[in-house]
Amino acid sequence: MALTGLDIYKLLPKTNCKECGYPTCLAFAMKLAAKQAELAACPYVTEEAKAKLAAAAAPPIRLVTIGRGERKVEVGNETVLFRHDKTFFHPPGLMVRVKDTQSIDMIEKRAREVADYSVEYVGLELRLDGLAVENASGEASAFASAVERVKETGLPLILISSDPRAMEAALAKSDGTSPLIYAADEENWEAMSELAKRHQAPLAIRASGLEPLVELVEKVRGAGVEDLVLDPGCRGYNDCLVTFTHIRRLALQKNFKPLGFPLIAFPGEGANSPEEEAILAGQHIAKYAGFVVMEDFDPALAYPLLTLRQNIYTDPREPIQVTPGIYEFGEPVPDSPLLITTNFSITYFSVANEVEGSGIPSWLLVADSEGMSVLTGWAAGKFDADKIAKTVKTTGIEEKVSHRKLTIPGAVAVLSGELEDELPGWEILVGPREAVDLPAYLKIWKP
Amino acid sequence: MAEKVEIPVQKWSGRVREVTLGATREEGGTRARTVTLGGETTLPFLHFEGKLSHPPRIAIEIQDKKPEAWSPLLLKAWEGAIDDPAAWAKKAEERGADLILLRLSLDDAQGEENTPEKVKSTVRKVLSATGLPLLVFGPGQVDKDNELLVAVAEEAAGERVVLGVCEDKNYRTIVAAALAHGHLVDSRTPMDVNLAKQLIILIHDMGLPLDRLLMDPSTGALGYGIEYGYSVMERLRLAALQGDTMTQQPILVTPGEEAWRAKEAKVGEGVPEPWGDWEERAIMWETMTTTALIEAGADVVVMRHPESVRLVKEAIDKLWMKGG
Amino acid sequence: MSRYIATRAIRGANRIVKEAEDLFEKALAEHGPDTKVAFPNTGYYLPVILGITGTEVERLGGLKPVLEHARSLLHPVPKERFWTPYLGEALDCGIATLLAEEVIMGIRFVYGEQPERLPGFRLAGGTFTSPDESAQEAIEGRVNGPIDDIQLRSWGIQLVDGRMPGFAAIIGAAKSNEVAVKIVRELQMRNILVFLCGNVNGRSIIHQLMEEGVELGYDTYTVPFGTDTISAIYAAGFATRAALTFGGKKGGQTREIFLYNKFRVFAFGLALGEVDDLKYATAGGVISYGFPVIADTVIPEILPTGVTQYEHVISMPFDDIEGKDDLERATRLVQRCIEVRGVKVKIAEIPIPIPYGSAFEGERVKRADMRIEFGGKYSRAFEYLRMRGLDEVEDGKIEIVGPGFEDVEEGGYMDLGIVVEVAGRKMQEDFEPVLERQIHYFINGASGVQHIGQRDIAWIRVSKSAAEKGLTLRHFGDILYARFHSDFEAIVDKVQVTIYTEPEELKKWLEIARAAYDVRNKRLVEMTDESVDTFYSCTLCQSFAPNHVCVVSPERLGLCGAYNWLDCKASHQINPTGPNQPVPKGEPLDSDQGYWQGPINFVYEHSNHTVERVSMYSIMENPMTACGCFECIAMVIPEANGIMVVSREDPSMTPAGMTFSTLAGMAGGGLQTPGVMGVGKYYLASKKFIKPDGGFKRVVWMSSFLKESMAEELKAVAEREGDPDLIDRIADERYVTTVEELLPWLEEHDHPALKMPPIL
């Protein structure tokens, strides 16, 4: 059985020195128990305690980082099979493949597109993560110059080649950026391991089937490389779902160390079309990939994939919030309806969907309810008359609408009287209780 | 020496109930074939640890009148058939539907109130135009749903149609109509495991056998709360496999409706450039919403665009095939 | 079982079976065994026979085994001297009677004698049952006969979905035409379907209604079956077909068909006028369906024994019914029928002159717009709800004792007392406060009415515009009557409202109410975990904390503070499939530590097998999980050998080194985290508060908000713990915000925790 925070606390120095970054030893112990902290953060822990805590404290899937700086990608450290059990922590890196057989201009253009691509989603910037450069030419020099070019984007890289000499040349051009070396296999593992160590780069391991993979992992770890990424060789829908599930379960449920690493997937290699590739990539996002390498860049496919990743990797324990403020639907004019709701994402979406669907241009105020739904927010005092009044006064909506009619959710009808006191000059209208009744409500709304 | 890899196999005690839609002539209906859902004893597509009896099925949504508010992309895709539910059903069948979902409107094409008589004739026409099992959903207003669905139940007696949607605030009449005429119902609750379970219990308490009940936990589209629907479905399916009998219904969800409501799918103009090509993105929005939900445990997905249907069908085929 | 009834039922059964046999022999001779026998427009053959015996009778010859079966069920008429008959025999004979009656009706169809001819009668919508005649003739000059399948499904849907509460089979004739009409109108008003049959000395209620020009037929929900007792069989046929159609039962599943009717079809028989042997025998059959029979004459009663839900046979001699005239007596008779069968009343719309709905809940009535106020600064208003016996509450009665507010000057005030009396078979005294609190919401839903407070600090304002639209005190009664019925259908069967403005009466009732408030307060305090055998769960928050289960006991309220044990209990009664489920305590494993087998099993099951063991009280060992809605977080401070409690309202730093919101991430999410626990603030005052860990004396730090908002309760705790200054020994954020500061402070204030055994 896992150790509780209190069990761990007993093994800690109990000095509350705060050097671990937590205010007390107990707080640190609780974080360790939740597998959200590393024991190594405590400088004073005894060897004896370390041994006792090792099992409880080591994350079952190793955290692997590629790239440096702002855009580095961290994957792994997952602790659950289903997001509802806690959360998925580190979204998989979405990488786009370029080949050293393409013209340098082409490579550069693609690299730029990937690096610059950014799409806004509920106030968040969603971006692709990096590039996978493939040594398709078989030439070390072509590979090296392609890598040199794309390195300038500052994006994390995956270097794809089975040839250690080509890999060495590429690594020489990308030193200091911790690219992922793809891949060590049965033939080249010794040389690749050597390169990984020398360049302090994580190493992908490719084998067909779990047992050969485990065997190879053992060899590479024996050679002293610990930052690994696994490619079990599957490419198809069912094949990948089953294999990735096996690996995740082994790592989490059996604490099976040889498979306790992030996985890499190449959906394009199992697909007949870019659409099919994207669907398979979607599966990898939900089911356990650490890196997903796409064959091509297409915003119409990238946007849904990035959105899916964002959705799957939100923390179900914390309400997702949208940015408070004014949201416009259609092209609202000063005498369009004005509604207010909370910034709990699901509340926002239900309202937004219906307002959008109604086709009636409208203003929607989103109050900062700290991610609570309408009723919860009301009960907790995060969506009360005071908060609503503040939202109206501080967002500048008073300059945008010519009328003074604010529609509040039916569920908080009880606030209407208080609100009229808080917002002199405003008429408070009580809207429907359910978002689904909004279109009908908006149809009869009059300024 | 490498460690021996022992594949972890979960022993599940529960099984998703089998539910059959439609009835052939021998069974008292007129369908060319029936469609059976459910029966699985493990999580989606994990052949190695359980029995997977029936693949997920696609229902294509048609409406009893041209849905003017739909995205122009959808109107274009069904051009020529969209004014006539019978022709539309036929075309939907050609484009790969396993099931037809007919949604009734409040008003008819002339803008006059829909009536039980009109609805009966529509249902009759659709039943004649296609041999696929049918689902019929009301316009979503309590009184109208009850009025129209009772008529549908009567007209389609014996066909084992799925009547929908039953919701917490309105299910009794629909269930009673299903009881009276041998139909099935769709039990819809707003993305919550306990509410889903509760409505199943309430409907079952009215005397409707569980093999005539689909569970519709509802969902958001990609980008619009899909994660809630996704997790609720995963949780429902896990509960079912752990032996919680009131969650063992096949799951129906409506990703088509949800996805096509999203601006990303619906609209082509005045949207940010990084959204990319409209049609491609729109189809992908519906497709990816659907496939994510299928992998979370959906047994029936209700879709709208024929191209998305094609893509999802391919994905299902490959997911269904061992090693595919 | 009454020997008298049994004797007469058995006698009636013997006679009707014989009559059926004779008729059968005659028909066989005249028409031959291959003659078709059927009720028109139904797919259920002869439905009672199909339901009870599983036999699909299509031809005359097929009736023979049915009659043989009927005869086999008969018992001899008991001799005067012996005391043998009991319920079973009467029920057997009742079944035999139904079979015989249906055989007779089947044969009468062969002879064209059904539906019964009734000269001058015209159906208001009915079954086209006689293909030999034109449609016009079919509905003229004949009563309806059996209900066809189309109508069965259409009404069945309404019976199943609850729009139609049930059906009444009336047999015989009423005291007068006037009474007959009144009874039918009372039933129609409640949307109850009415079947009519039988006669007394040749005079049937059908004749009575016909004479009064009452339209009878499908269109008016009143179906004339026939003027003899035998035609009552069509009611049994309707019930049987309902079970086959809506219950999915098969012919021959006799028991299931009866049980379906008992639990789902709210029907009853009403015998008007003298009850003869055949009526007794028929009643014997009807009781098997779970339908009680009420007679308006003197007959022996059969009180509960299980075949029907409540009483079986009730006698309510018409002239003895209380009431100022026959019409009022008729109303009472119908009310009694409804109670006996447990039919629930539905009120579609609240009859008040102003808009009503939850959208008006928050309205304020400003002084300037005010017509009148009750309570507040210048007057007194109170609300009191109490439970009474079913026969002590007159459903729907709304009485105003004293003057209305019409004569009070505009902007004035007056005293007001609202007394609601409810009765229900599932009502419990414990639910009184839960229901009483609803008065606030119910009254507030009226547009132009503002309600604040509860009990004897209620404060109600009525706006000028509401008063102008005609709102009077009576409408408060209308609102409460309608809402208690619709919202608390599960536990409330009858509601009566009395509104007092007359000073003496008001004073008297205020005292009664205050005494009751007092008793309730004491009861809450006295209720302990030991005194009950069931706790309640709350899984309301599983939508976002899927593995979290609250277990609420009398001494530990829900961590959100919103649900105490009584609330959960009431909520379960009202919504049996909802989030509050009973958790039987089960085997006490170690009740001091808070371990009972019941909660442990329940939590394991409902936490999706993640929480294996839970203590009802401890924070240190297997603490209860939390969703995130907790009012306070308790966390162990090992350095101080105690715990701290921070409230949601307190944004300051705590000695745990974290603020409330940081701690919340640790305490919530349904994870069991020893050392941290989310709680409702009143749990602090409970004797069971972290009892296994040393109890309240362990509290070394708490938010000042808690000290202030619960000053009285905490004072009591300090006294209970034998240290009246205890609260002052506890640090708060005004003095201490770090663990380093905490220890010296505690030493300085001589906190008892420092001398307690180590908490870890």
Side-chain angles (χ1 to χ4, degrees):
Chain A
M1 209 187 113
L3 295 178
T4 68
L6 293 178
D7 297 331
I8 296 172
Y9 174 74
K10 291 175 192 162
L11 297 168
L12 295 178
K14 307 192 193 65
T15 52
N16 295 341
C17 72
K18 303 182 177 57
E19 287 179 44
C20 60
Y22 293 94
T24 64
C25 291
L26 184 56
F28 179 56
M30 298 265 177
K31 284 285 171 193
L32 282 177
K35 303 201 170 179
Q36 287 161 355
E38 300 259 2
L39 184 59
C42 177
Y44 305 107
V45 68
T46 62
E47 283 306 315
E48 186 206 348
K50 255 189 214 164
K52 282 193 185 164
L53 292 175
I61 296 174
R62 192 175 174 85
L63 187 73
V64 172
T65 308
I66 71 168
R68 295 270 166 90
E70 203 186 311
R71 298 198 70 167
K72 73 178 177 193
V73 184
E74 289 182 324
V75 297
N77 243 5
E78 301 300 336
T79 60
V80 291
L81 281 163
F82 302 99
R83 57 185 294 280
H84 62 257
D85 279 338
K86 191 181 281 177
T87 184
F88 289 174
F89 289 98
H90 295 102
L94 280 179
M95 320 295 281
V96 176
R97 186 179 336 227
V98 292
K99 298 181 178 178
D100 65 0
T101 45
Q102 290 165 316
S103 73
I104 285 293
D105 286 350
M106 184 62 212
I107 291 173
E108 204 167 87
K109 178 168 166 281
R110 179 53 36 91
R112 240 329 106 212
E113 279 171 347
V114 172
D116 294 346
Y117 183 71
S118 160
V119 59
E120 197 204 310
Y121 167 70
V122 289
L124 301 165
E125 291 271 294
L126 305 183
R127 313 194 73 168
L128 293 165
D129 297 283
L131 294 159
V133 190
E134 184 186 341
N135 178 21
S137 66
E139 302 287 329
S141 57
F143 192 37
S145 38
V147 169
E148 188 176 20
R149 255 336 140 84
V150 300
K151 180 192 163 189
E152 285 156 24
T153 59
L155 289 177
L157 301 180
I158 298 176
L159 309 181
I160 303 179
S161 176
S162 337
D163 176 1
R165 279 183 313 109
M167 189 59 74
E168 187 168 13
L171 282 166
K173 299 286 183 198
S174 58
D175 239 358
T177 65
S178 290
L180 174 64
I181 301 172
Y182 181 92
D185 57 27
E186 192 48 51
E187 308 293 317
N188 67 15
W189 67 270
E190 283 170 300
M192 288 296 196
S193 302
E194 233 8 80
L195 288 172
K197 276 194 288 185
R198 197 183 320 143
H199 294 274
Q200 291 177 349
L203 176 62
I205 298 187
R206 181 180 57 206
S208 275
L210 293 191
E211 294 199 358
L213 183 64
V214 167
E215 213 168 300
L216 200 50
V217 168
E218 296 287 79
K219 289 181 192 164
V220 172
R221 287 174 81 198
V225 183
E226 285 293 344
D227 282 338
L228 304 181
V229 171
L230 309 182
D231 176 1
C234 56
R235 290 296 182 266
Y237 280 78
N238 185 265
D239 196 10
C240 284
L241 180 67
V242 167
T243 309
F244 284 20
T245 302
H246 286 330
I247 294 177
R248 180 82 151 224
R249 284 187 182 177
L250 280 162
L252 298 186
Q253 295 174 338
K254 308 275 176 192
N255 206 6
F256 186 70
K257 290 294 173 198
L259 294 178
F261 299 95
L263 305 175
I264 185 166
F266 297 88
E269 294 178 13
N272 299 321
S273 68
E275 288 81 10
E276 208 187 303
E277 178 191 18
I279 300 169
L280 185 49
Q283 173 185 310
H284 291 318
I285 286 169
K287 295 294 174 191
Y288 314 140
F291 292 103
V292 179
V293 179
M294 303 292 294
E295 298 303 317
D296 217 334
F297 168 73
D298 177 349
L301 301 179
Y303 178 35
L305 277 176
L306 287 168
T307 308
L308 180 68
R309 182 177 73 173
Q310 183 63 33
N311 292 163
I312 295 287
Y313 275 78
T314 51
D315 188 341
R317 297 166 306 169
E318 282 172 21
I320 313 152
Q321 309 183 16
V322 297
T323 315
I326 303 171
Y327 286 74
E328 300 179 8
F329 294 89
E331 278 163 24
V333 292
D335 64 356
S336 297
L338 170 65
L339 314 166
I340 187 159
T341 192
T342 77
N343 75 331
F344 177 38
S345 70
I346 202 163
T347 304
Y348 167 80
F349 285 134
S350 349
V351 173
N353 266 334
E354 297 298 341
V355 177
E356 178 81 50
S358 77
I360 297 167
S362 306
W363 304 95
L364 177 64
L365 274 181
V366 173
D368 182 5
S369 66
E370 297 174 26
M372 290 188 195
S373 67
V374 169
L375 269 176
T376 321
W378 170 68
K382 308 290 181 195
F383 189 63
D384 53 11
D386 190 45
K387 179 64 66 81
I388 293 174
K390 218 164 100 193
T391 310
V392 170
K393 286 176 192 155
T394 56
T395 46
I397 191 68
E398 285 169 306
E399 281 80 64
K400 300 207 174 199
V401 294
S402 53
H403 59 79
R404 286 290 176 267
K405 288 185 179 185
L406 175 67
T407 300
I408 62 173
V412 290
V414 65
L415 292 177
S416 59
E418 215 182 324
L419 255 175
E420 292 199 341
D421 296 345
E422 296 265 349
L423 285 172
W426 281 81
E427 188 183 342
I428 305 302
L429 306 175
V430 176
R433 285 184 75 87
E434 305 289 338
V436 69
D437 300 320
L438 274 171
Y441 174 83
L442 289 171
K443 271 194 193 100
I444 54 164
W445 190 95
K446 293 243 161 49
Chain B
M1 183 63 208
E3 294 180 51
K4 175 87 182 127
V5 183
E6 253 180 72
I7 302 294
V9 174
Q10 200 93 37
K11 282 272 166 268
W12 303 107
S13 58
R15 175 174 193 236
V16 179
R17 224 163 252 115
E18 284 190 336
V19 171
T20 299
L21 279 60
T24 60
R25 279 199 191 281
E26 298 75 59
E27 296 156 340
T30 61
R31 304 300 79 209
R33 60 186 178 85
T34 62
V35 168
T36 301
L37 309 165
E40 51 268 47
T41 62
T42 179
L43 293 167
F45 310 111
L46 300 187
H47 296 272
F48 66 92
E49 68 179 10
K51 199 172 133 198
L52 300 170
S53 310
H54 310 287
R57 299 295 192 171
I58 298 173
I60 291 183
E61 177 183 344
I62 66 169
Q63 304 225 358
D64 59 354
K65 67 163 184 186
K66 183 177 178 184
E68 301 287 355
W70 277 20
S71 169
L73 292 177
L74 288 169
L75 301 184
K76 192 181 81 189
W78 296 109
E79 204 167 9
I82 204 161
D83 294 302
D84 172 11
W88 195 351
K90 213 173 176 133
K91 197 162 171 192
E93 183 173 354
E94 286 162 19
R95 299 301 294 265
D98 301 307
L99 301 159
I100 301 292
L101 185 142
L102 169 65
R103 187 183 299 264
L104 306 174
S105 317
L106 280 177
D107 301 324
D108 66 10
Q110 283 70 47
E112 282 164 34
E113 199 181 348
N114 217 342
T115 62
E117 289 65 39
K118 290 178 196 167
V119 162
K120 281 184 172 184
S121 118
T122 307
V123 166
R124 183 50 47 210
K125 274 191 255 169
V126 172
L127 283 169
S128 323
T130 171
L132 299 180
L134 195 63
L135 305 89
V136 183
F137 283 10
Q141 275 187 13
V142 173
D143 292 343
K144 213 63 197 172
D145 276 6
N146 291 346
E147 182 189 2
L148 299 182
L149 289 170
V150 167
V152 170
E154 206 177 299
E155 182 65 26
E159 297 280 9
R160 286 183 72 93
V161 167
V162 177
L163 303 174
V165 293
C166 291
E167 292 181 284
D168 177 41
K169 60 176 186 207
N170 184 46
Y171 64 93
R172 302 190 64 91
T173 302
I174 301 172
V175 173
L179 281 168
H181 301 283
H183 299 300
L184 294 71
V185 302
D186 178 59
S187 163
R188 177 178 292 176
T189 44
M191 296 198 262
D192 181 286
V193 170
N194 290 327
L195 293 179
K197 208 167 135 177
Q198 191 179 352
L199 190 54
I200 299 285
I201 294 171
L202 291 172
I203 291 175
H204 181 52
D205 275 354
M206 283 184 70
L208 191 76
L210 290 169
D211 65 359
R212 281 159 63 186
L213 196 41
L214 298 180
M215 178 164 66
D216 178 349
S218 63
T219 184
L222 184 60
Y224 292 81
I226 191 176
E227 62 273 28
Y228 294 93
Y230 179 90
S231 283
V232 165
M233 283 169 61
E234 285 201 328
R235 288 173 54 202
L236 281 168
R237 187 45 49 85
L238 285 166
L241 297 175
Q242 280 168 5
D244 182 345
T245 55
M246 286 299 152
T247 57
Q248 290 171 341
Q249 303 311 117
I251 295 176
L252 174 146
V253 272
T254 51
E257 180 185 356
E258 295 302 327
W260 284 97
R261 192 154 48 180
K263 196 172 178 185
E264 281 82 350
K266 198 173 177 180
V267 185
E269 279 166 34
V271 302
E273 205 188 301
W275 286 16
D277 179 75
W278 176 27
E279 186 159 5
E280 192 185 357
R281 174 186 76 241
I283 287 167
M284 202 41 66
W285 216 261
E286 182 182 23
T287 303
M288 244 186 243
T289 302
T290 309
T291 49
L293 297 173
I294 285 175
E295 297 200 34
D299 296 282
V300 193
V301 286
V302 184
M303 303 186 61
R304 284 189 174 171
H305 197 286
E307 179 60 13
S308 325
V309 169
R310 187 186 68 77
L311 289 168
V312 170
K313 236 181 150 55
E314 267 183 33
I316 293 175
D317 287 347
K318 291 186 173 170
L319 275 163
W320 190 247
M321 194 168 60
K322 214 168 178 166
Chain C
M1 176 66 192
S2 152
R3 170 202 164 99
Y4 176 82
I5 294 185
T7 304
R8 299 201 59 186
I10 292 170
R11 203 157 62 201
N14 277 284
R15 233 174 262 162
I16 193 78
V17 171
K18 179 74 174 64
E19 187 183 328
E21 286 167 347
D22 293 348
L23 183 62
F24 170 69
E25 292 304 333
K26 173 172 174 270
L28 206 58
E30 292 174 7
H31 289 277
D34 289 336
T35 305
K36 285 210 162 126
V37 179
F39 289 169
N41 303 319
T42 165
Y44 297 95
Y45 308 95
L46 299 182
V48 174
I49 292 170
L50 173 69
I52 291 176
T53 68
T55 317
E56 298 175 352
V57 175
E58 289 180 89
R59 290 171 200 282
L60 209 50
L63 292 171
K64 195 170 170 52
V66 175
L67 283 168
E68 284 166 4
H69 181 60
R71 179 149 288 283
S72 76
L73 290 170
L74 290 179
H75 294 261
V77 178
K79 302 270 183 296
E80 286 297 318
R81 307 180 273 128
F82 294 115
W83 184 254
T84 54
Y86 64 107
L87 187 59
E89 292 184 0
L91 293 177
D92 280 352
C93 285
I95 300 294
T97 303
L98 298 184
L99 295 175
E101 287 176 339
E102 196 163 65
V103 166
I104 292 170
M105 284 311 199
I107 297 172
R108 284 190 186 167
F109 264 106
V110 172
Y111 283 96
E113 292 168 4
Q114 280 290 311
E116 188 183 316
R117 284 176 205 279
L118 185 60
F121 182 75
R122 193 176 199 295
L123 264 182
T127 298
F128 173 54
T129 45
S130 182
D132 300 333
E133 300 172 61
S134 73
Q136 193 55 26
E137 274 176 276
I139 59 166
E140 269 180 35
R142 282 183 190 264
V143 295
N144 189 79
I147 291 166
D148 62 54
D149 277 359
I150 295 175
Q151 196 59 41
L152 165 80
R153 290 209 165 81
S154 155
W155 275 336
I157 288 173
Q158 297 185 47
L159 282 167
V160 173
D161 74 17
R163 277 176 290 170
M164 198 182 263
F167 72 77
I170 302 180
I171 188 165
K175 183 184 173 191
S176 65
N177 286 8
E178 192 190 19
V179 170
V181 174
K182 181 70 179 170
I183 288 174
V184 169
R185 291 286 184 243
E186 286 284 328
L187 291 165
Q188 282 176 318
M189 199 177 82
R190 293 172 169 82
N191 220 2
I192 293 172
L193 189 55
V194 183
F195 299 152
L196 305 160
C197 55
N199 67 71
V200 175
N201 300 324
R203 194 162 163 71
S204 169
I205 186 166
I206 299 174
H207 300 123
Q208 294 180 310
L209 295 170
M210 223 172 106
E211 286 160 17
E212 296 304 312
V214 176
E215 294 217 9
L216 302 178
Y218 289 168
D219 298 350
T220 56
Y221 296 67
T222 47
V223 188
F225 283 155
T227 61
D228 61 359
T229 301
I230 297 176
S231 57
I233 192 64
Y234 296 142
F238 182 84
T240 306
R241 286 188 290 155
L244 298 173
T245 310
F246 292 92
K249 310 299 175 214
K250 300 273 174 296
Q253 292 181 321
T254 323
R255 193 181 134 76
E256 286 83 352
I257 291 169
F258 289 164
L259 287 178
Y260 179 87
N261 276 283
K262 172 178 171 181
F263 290 115
R264 297 176 190 275
V265 181
F266 291 94
F268 56 88
L270 176 56
L272 301 177
E274 192 211 329
V275 180
D276 60 23
D277 287 356
L278 184 56
K279 284 183 191 167
Y280 276 118
T282 307
V286 163
I287 288 172
S288 286
Y289 284 80
F291 302 156
V293 177
I294 297 93
D296 73 343
T297 51
V298 182
I299 59 165
E301 298 197 332
I302 307 178
L303 299 173
T305 49
V307 182
T308 63
Q309 210 149 5
Y310 305 122
E311 297 84 357
H312 293 63
V313 177
I314 290 282
S315 168
M316 246 186 129
F318 192 79
D319 290 331
D320 295 350
I321 298 172
E322 239 181 82
K324 65 176 191 297
D325 54 23
D326 277 358
L327 294 185
E328 204 172 303
R329 280 187 268 278
T331 307
R332 294 268 161 85
L333 177 66
V334 170
Q335 271 179 3
R336 182 72 179 129
C337 292
I338 287 166
E339 271 169 52
V340 170
R341 186 58 183 105
V343 177
K344 297 287 182 185
V345 181
K346 289 238 185 324
I347 295 115
E349 222 166 288
I350 304 175
I352 52 173
I354 45 176
Y356 187 88
S358 60
F360 305 109
E361 271 176 19
E363 275 181 336
R364 295 287 180 84
V365 176
K366 298 196 179 81
R367 181 155 285 280
D369 305 328
M370 186 181 92
R371 169 68 187 81
I372 185 163
E373 78 177 340
F374 311 97
K377 211 167 171 183
Y378 306 102
S379 58
R380 162 77 63 193
F382 74 92
E383 298 157 352
Y384 173 45
L385 179 140
R386 67 170 179 177
M387 165 190 170
R388 310 213 61 199
L390 270 167
D391 49 354
E392 294 170 303
V393 177
E394 188 182 323
D395 191 43
K397 182 174 172 191
I398 296 165
E399 200 184 350
I400 316 295
V401 180
F405 59 77
E406 292 72 20
D407 294 334
V408 178
E409 58 176 344
E410 196 165 285
Y413 51 87
M414 83 191 286
D415 288 348
L416 183 75
I418 300 178
V419 176
V420 181
E421 290 170 288
V422 301
R425 295 189 190 254
K426 288 191 180 166
M427 181 66 195
Q428 300 178 19
E429 221 169 84
D430 277 347
F431 301 160
E432 287 177 352
V434 178
L435 261 58
E436 190 180 276
R437 282 202 298 262
Q438 303 300 318
I439 295 175
H440 165 75
Y441 299 100
F442 292 169
I443 299 280
N444 245 346
S447 168
V449 181
Q450 170 187 323
H451 184 289
I452 292 172
Q454 52 161 336
R455 288 191 170 180
D456 54 355
I457 52 164
W459 179 16
I460 303 172
R461 279 182 172 182
V462 174
S463 74
K464 285 179 197 159
S465 84
E468 274 158 24
K469 287 185 188 129
L471 184 86
T472 63
L473 288 178
R474 194 199 144 77
H475 295 123
F476 289 161
D478 287 322
I479 293 169
L480 295 173
Y481 171 71
R483 289 294 306 267
F484 276 115
H485 266 300
S486 64
D487 291 33
F488 293 93
E489 182 189 50
I491 51 178
V492 168
D493 295 333
K494 294 172 113 183
V495 181
Q496 169 180 330
V497 183
T498 317
I499 293 172
Y500 295 96
T501 56
E502 197 279 316
E504 282 307 307
E505 282 290 309
L506 188 134
K507 202 174 141 211
K508 190 183 106 198
W509 277 95
L510 178 60
E511 268 159 38
I512 297 173
R514 281 184 171 157
Y517 302 150
D518 212 41
V519 169
R520 285 181 200 163
N521 289 347
K522 289 216 175 83
R523 164 133 175 81
L524 260 179
V525 173
E526 281 162 12
M527 213 161 27
T528 62
D529 289 1
E530 289 76 22
S531 69
V532 300
D533 55 13
T534 305
F535 297 158
Y536 285 89
S537 68
C538 183
T539 50
L540 201 61
C541 296
Q542 285 203 343
S543 51
F544 61 93
N547 298 334
H548 167 65
V549 183
C550 254
V551 182
V552 178
S553 73
E555 291 181 273
R556 181 171 185 170
L557 80 169
L559 53 82
C560 56
Y563 284 78
N564 67 28
W565 185 81
L566 283 180
D567 295 318
C568 289
K569 188 177 170 193
S571 151
H572 173 67
Q573 283 291 336
I574 293 157
N575 183 3
T577 55
N580 302 114
Q581 293 295 318
V583 181
K585 257 164 52 177
E587 203 61 29
L589 302 176
D590 184 343
S591 51
D592 283 343
Q593 295 285 321
Y595 291 121
W596 281 271
Q597 196 60 56
I600 289 176
N601 292 349
F602 189 95
V603 170
Y604 179 66
E605 179 78 10
H606 292 84
S607 67
N608 305 308
H609 302 187
T610 58
V611 178
E612 288 175 3
R613 196 172 168 83
V614 70
S615 159
M616 285 298 298
Y617 310 131
S618 179
I619 183 175
M620 299 303 287
E621 193 183 279
N622 302 309
M624 208 179 282
T625 58
C627 41
C629 309
F630 29 70
E631 289 183 297
C632 310
I633 299 171
M635 182 170 181
V636 65
I637 306 287
E639 295 86 349
N641 204 31
I643 67 149
M644 58 150 236
V645 186
V646 55
S647 89
R648 188 174 279 279
E649 288 78 7
D650 179 1
S652 62
M653 184 49 75
T654 72
M658 291 170 272
T659 59
F660 180 90
S661 55
T662 318
L663 279 166
M666 217 173 250
L671 298 173
Q672 204 169 38
T673 316
V676 189
M677 187 162 74
V679 295
K681 68 180 188 179
Y682 284 102
Y683 179 46
L684 292 177
S686 162
K687 279 194 283 245
K688 297 289 163 37
F689 178 67
I690 60 166
K691 192 175 167 216
D693 314 312
F696 188 82
K697 280 184 180 165
R698 284 284 187 195
V699 179
V700 293
W701 186 99
M702 74 195 301
S703 299
S704 61
F705 174 83
L706 294 171
K707 286 186 178 175
E708 279 156 20
S709 66
M710 296 205 301
E712 254 180 66
E713 288 85 355
L714 291 176
K715 198 171 147 221
V717 171
E719 270 154 30
R720 191 185 71 210
E721 296 287 327
D723 181 357
D725 301 327
L726 184 57
I727 308 304
D728 298 331
R729 301 182 199 284
I730 300 172
D732 64 46
E733 80 282 0
R734 292 170 300 190
Y735 314 109
V736 166
T737 52
T738 66
V739 67
E740 288 79 14
E741 294 163 0
L742 181 62
L743 280 175
W745 201 93
L746 293 175
E747 272 164 27
E748 192 182 316
H749 292 80
D750 194 20
H751 194 286
L754 300 178
K755 298 181 199 78
M756 291 170 80
I759 194 163
L760 275 184

